Amino acid sequence: MTKKTTRRDLLRGGLAIAGAGAFATTAARAQGDPAITELQPWMQQLGEGVDARPYGMPSPHEAHVKRRSVEWLTADPVSSVNFTPLHDLDGIITPNGLCFERHHAGIAEVDPAQHRLMINGLVDYELVFTMEDLARFPRHNKVYFLECAANSGMEWRGAQLNGCQFTHGMIHNVMYTGVMLRDVLATAGVQTAGKWILPEGADASGMTRSIPMDKALDDCMIATHMNGERLRPEQGYPIRLVVPGWEGNMWVKWLRRIEVGDQPWHHREETSKYTDLLADGAARRFTWAMDAKSVITNPSPQAPLTHGAGPTVLTGVAWSGRGSIPRVDVTIDGGKNWHQARMDGPSFDKSMHRFYFDFDWDGKPMLLQSRAHDSTGYVQPTKNQLRQVRGENSIYHNNGIQTWAVDARGEAENVEIG
Amino acid sequence: MSKLASLLVPGLAGTGVLIGGAYVAANMMVPQVHTPVAATLGLTAQAQQTAPADTVVFDLGRPATAAEIAAWDIDIRPDGAGLPDGSGDVWTGEDLYIDNCAVCHGDFGEAIGRWPVLAGGQGSLTNDRPVKTIGSYWPYLSTVYDYVNRAMPFGNAQSLTDDEVYAVTAYLLYLNDLVDDDFVLDRETLSTFEMPNRDAFYMDDRADTEYAIFTGEPCMENCKDTVEITARAAVVDVTPEDEAARIARQAAATGTDIGVTEADASAQVAAAETDDPVEEGTTPLAATATDNALADAGPDPELVAAGEKVFKQCSACHQVGDGARNRTGPMLNGIVDHPAGVVEGFRYSKVFGQFAEDGLVWTPEELSAFLAAPRDYAPRTKMSFRGLESDDDLAAVIAYLGTFAQ
């Protein structure tokens, strides 16, 4: 209230032109901001009518907001990954067109009329469902993050990629609409010996993962929609498995079959890949849950501070595959002193959370870090703490604390500190 | 699990007479618990009051037929469950491997570029740069059979016969020095085969080894005296540069350079070795420039550059440029204005054999028609590509292909 009154007083007093950052010289100040004093085309001319954009797209001024890939990472774009532009987003929901993609045989362009879901194996009734059949089960809406287990995997041996899009962008957070897997499995009647499921995709990689029955019956969903509209082809249209809090590889896209069995299958994606090689040569398997993690998205290497010293909004995202995020700590001096960030927006289990730290930047170089606490009491470790336990050959599940060095110009760089 | 095993549907028995689109397969008994839910909504609601929510059974779907299950149920387990009849030997596997696999995985499983290394690496798992191969890392042989059968060759999945998958799997063991050259793989030898690294895997133990360490109230004030930067991404800068974003940023900011040069990047890239974040690499390979000399008359360089991007969709199966070889598809040097179906050493589909016989020439017009709708233009072609929708893309990729002499 106080602030509002002050501003209104200013306006009445004729000192109206404040806060227009684009013009700074005395002469320009006297003339006024051209953004105000000159007539802009959109103030005079008519715009396009209602049907010009039957499926609306972002402003051309936002053309830089897009998924990007790192070409050297993989042999071929058909079996590869791109990254969500976290530094260009706010809130907690990832727009559908910006959700990172990971394909093993390209995007399967599935005709839903020719797509089926089969349940077979240790069930009383081996069944086939059409997409219309699935739509007749009760539907549920849940917001969940999906993070690739290899997110930040390029950073095990040290700071490598400059940008949170590349270091942390193998994640997205959307609201799924779908049916509970347990309802579908109950229809088939899981037999007592059925302890595992094997979901399988319809793409040319025939993606498979073994998932324990407890998880399948707990919170797994068969999703048909993301953020209110049908799944995008690159996210598994017409149906994908949702495995809340667990590594993204298990969320089988273009889901066509679920087999029920009495033991895991040990397929390629749970032996050769997605196992965590430790320093002693042994390897962890079935490391499904994604531990608590956070990253500062602004400022970051792709999103420097351009306004100079003064009021500054630092923001980022945090998530945990084992619960919610009640708290995030932020430091601007490399961990000498920490501040509790302000959590803002909805807090759901196994969903992304948004945090802010609003402060007065003195214009000097900073070392920024964020540290997530999840609802189990787990506190996000440093990268060195992780390396002490696991060595440097793990690839997957790197949830260590990220550091950005911001220089006096506001440019940020990916660094590690000791 | 046990909840489902003792599954009850109170109040529903007898009320349903399979109305409302219920399924009845000719040779199948329809279970009584599968009562159409639409006909019994009120009763279902009652049932939910007296039983856990997850015990409600919805009468949806239809029985899968034996033929349908056989078509899709291809998964194999370590105990041999799912393995078909048949067998394959090392030498048959070698021929198949050279034809179908070597273009990506190398003649000896050493891999080309970033494709997965399949052989070697024994004893390297504790090294700085472990080499995780079938022989050095994979715990079960069944995984090899299952994966080759479901997903390989890349771009032509499920095209090998059961005997051929057995043979390729046998050859992969031979490449890893795990069997002799007279080895024959079948259901029995596969399900009893013990891989060298099988005992190195253990169940996720983070709850015991990490969660206690990473829990508790952390220091918030005066936590350390000094802080030093120990590693910088700018030094090993391998980040894809986005010129547009950089220029926009600089315009918005102070106009000074942000201090990371391309020269820094390439110097470091050359020193980096391969490894594997997503599954193929954590560090970049030295870029092997495959820049192609443009013809003197010079096609539009912009169009050619656009075509190079479009060609990424083709490059999983087709090679062009120096040293191009036949892969899943034939190599394409000199393909524009060249007779169809005659690239040496490539085994074409019947329809391409017919094209060759008919004397079809790949003029830009014919190529364009083919690439717009491959399966309409060449019914039953082996090329599993849906086609290019945009005329611009078609023109671009043909211009790009035109830059490669035979």
Side-chain angles (χ1 to χ4, degrees), chain B residues 15-381:
Chain B
T15 59
V17 283
L18 298 171
I19 53 174
Y23 51 78
V24 183
N27 57 349
M28 294 217 182
M29 284 291 295
V30 175
Q32 259 202 332
V33 293
H34 283 241
T35 305
V37 73
T40 54
L41 276 178
L43 288 169
T44 306
Q46 273 183 353
Q48 285 189 58
Q49 288 168 6
T50 54
D54 61 2
T55 61
V56 176
V57 172
F58 299 92
D59 175 43
L60 292 164
R62 63 160 177 86
T65 69
E68 289 171 340
I69 295 168
W72 277 8
D73 186 1
I74 59 171
D75 48 81
I76 311 298
R77 282 195 328 205
D79 62 2
L83 280 172
D85 294 336
S87 67
D89 62 74
V90 169
W91 295 126
T92 307
E94 181 182 40
D95 288 345
L96 289 161
Y97 179 90
I98 295 298
D99 281 354
N100 293 283
C101 319
V103 286
C104 295
H105 296 295
D107 286 350
F108 306 100
E110 77 282 12
I112 308 293
R114 283 231 169 265
W115 299 100
V117 181
L118 300 182
Q122 278 89 340
S124 73
L125 296 183
T126 55
N127 294 357
D128 286 350
R129 304 280 169 176
V131 181
K132 297 194 283 185
T133 71
I134 291 169
S136 72
Y137 193 66
W138 294 35
Y140 305 108
L141 184 57
S142 60
T143 312
V144 181
Y145 187 103
D146 178 85
Y147 188 69
V148 171
N149 184 48
R150 74 172 53 247
M152 292 290 115
F154 194 60
N156 199 17
Q158 299 194 49
S159 61
L160 300 178
T161 65
D162 295 342
D163 284 348
E164 288 173 337
V165 178
Y166 274 119
V168 168
T169 306
Y171 186 65
L172 289 168
L173 289 176
Y174 177 75
L175 278 182
N176 278 285
D177 297 325
L178 296 174
V179 296
D180 293 328
D181 60 10
D182 59 354
F183 182 73
V184 177
L185 191 66
D186 58 17
R187 181 188 282 121
E188 174 64 21
T189 50
L190 193 153
S191 54
T192 55
F193 197 90
E194 295 197 342
M195 298 291 277
N197 199 43
R198 69 188 178 281
D199 294 329
F201 291 82
Y202 61 94
M203 189 68 189
D204 183 5
D205 65 348
R206 285 176 291 174
D208 302 323
T209 55
E210 295 185 7
Y211 291 167
I213 310 174
F214 303 152
T215 300
E217 179 60 31
C219 173
M220 293 295 283
E221 284 181 5
N222 302 317
C223 303
K224 45 187 167 183
D225 297 330
T226 59
V227 177
E228 268 179 51
I229 292 179
T230 56
R232 311 183 74 110
V235 174
V236 288
D237 195 16
V238 291
T239 311
E241 191 49 83
D242 184 336
E243 271 309 303
R246 179 203 278 246
I247 291 163
R249 233 161 54 200
Q250 284 174 357
T254 57
T256 50
D257 186 28
I258 59 170
V260 179
T261 68
E262 302 294 335
D264 289 343
S266 53
Q268 292 298 326
V269 169
E273 289 174 55
T274 65
D275 192 16
D276 203 40
V278 176
E279 73 184 34
E280 280 90 28
T282 37
T283 50
L285 287 175
T288 51
T290 53
D291 281 7
N292 36 297
L294 300 181
D296 288 343
D300 177 358
E302 275 186 31
L303 192 63
V304 170
E308 186 175 3
K309 282 188 184 160
V310 175
F311 189 76
K312 285 183 182 174
Q313 298 176 58
C314 321
S315 61
C317 303
H318 293 287
Q319 291 188 342
V320 289
D322 288 345
R325 298 169 55 182
N326 293 333
R327 305 175 62 176
T328 306
M331 72 93 192
L332 296 178
N333 288 345
I335 196 67
V336 180
D337 290 323
H338 192 270
V342 296
V343 170
E344 196 177 329
F346 187 75
R347 293 182 200 162
Y348 285 95
S349 54
K350 276 188 187 161
V351 62
F352 268 68
Q354 191 61 48
F355 286 170
E357 217 166 280
D358 296 347
L360 174 67
V361 171
W362 284 129
T363 61
E365 294 72 29
E366 293 294 343
L367 264 181
S368 186
F370 172 52
L371 295 177
R375 283 173 177 161
D376 294 339
Y377 187 99
R380 313 196 68 148
T381 171

Side-chain angles (χ1 to χ4, degrees), chain A residues 105-121:
Chain A
I107 301 167
E109 302 279 2
V110 175
D111 174 357
Q114 302 303 320
H115 190 70
R116 307 285 183 267
L117 175 66
M118 178 187 291
I119 311 284
N120 73 310

